[in-house]
């Protein structure tokens, strides 16, 4: 797995709504807020199953109805297409769960 090129970054990253850089790392971060703990946990379960299928796992933290997610590809030394694909998947599941970006 290789890191994103400058051209890929310029094209792909702006299309990932609500994802922010996570300095000093080459990573993306997003915080989602759900209706309650059950909604947050259900979302995390769906993402966990997808991440396992993709063999690419997020760094995350859950406190009641909030889920903080950090994406980076350790093997690539930073952001890769795996992160973009997982971010898109996360965004679909978050929308279906009625989450909002914090």
């Amino acid at each position: 797995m290789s890191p994103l090129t400058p051209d890929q970054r310029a094209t792909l990253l702006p299309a990932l709504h609500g994802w922010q850089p996570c300095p000093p790392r080459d990573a993306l971060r997003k915080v989602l807020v759900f209706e309650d703990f059950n909604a947050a946990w259900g979302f995390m379960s769906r993402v966990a199953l997808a991440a396992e299928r993709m063999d690419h796992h997020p760094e995350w933290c859950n406190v009641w109805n909030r889920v903080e997610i950090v994406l980076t590809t350790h093997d690539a030394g930073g952001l890769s297409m795996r992160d973009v694909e997982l971010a898109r998947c996360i965004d679909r599941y978050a929308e279906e769960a009625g989450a909002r970006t914090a």
Side-chain angles (χ1 to χ4, degrees), residues 3-4 11 16-17 28 32 47 49 51-52 56-57 59 62-63 67 72-73 75 81-83 88 91 94 98-99 101:
L4 294 175
T11 301
L16 299 176
H17 302 290
L28 293 175
L32 296 166
V47 172
L49 293 171
E52 188 66 17
H56 189 57
H57 306 91
E59 298 173 19
N62 165 242
V63 177
V67 178
T72 192
T73 304
D75 293 345
M81 279 305 297
R82 283 183 166 192
D83 300 303
R88 289 174 179 160
D91 287 346
T101 303

Side-chain angles (χ1 to χ4, degrees), residues 34-84:
F34 296 83
E35 182 177 333
D36 56 24
F37 179 76
N38 285 335
W41 195 265
F43 160 80
M44 290 177 68
S45 295
R46 289 187 73 194
V47 172
L49 293 171
E52 188 66 17
R53 283 190 303 272
M54 296 171 75
D55 192 29
H56 189 57
H57 306 91
E59 298 173 19
W60 54 11
C61 175
N62 165 242
V63 177
W64 191 58
N65 69 337
R66 293 173 56 93
V67 178
E68 178 182 347
I69 306 164
V70 174
L71 299 178
T72 192
T73 304
H74 300 282
D75 293 345
L79 293 171
S80 74
M81 279 305 297
R82 283 183 166 192
D83 300 303
V84 172

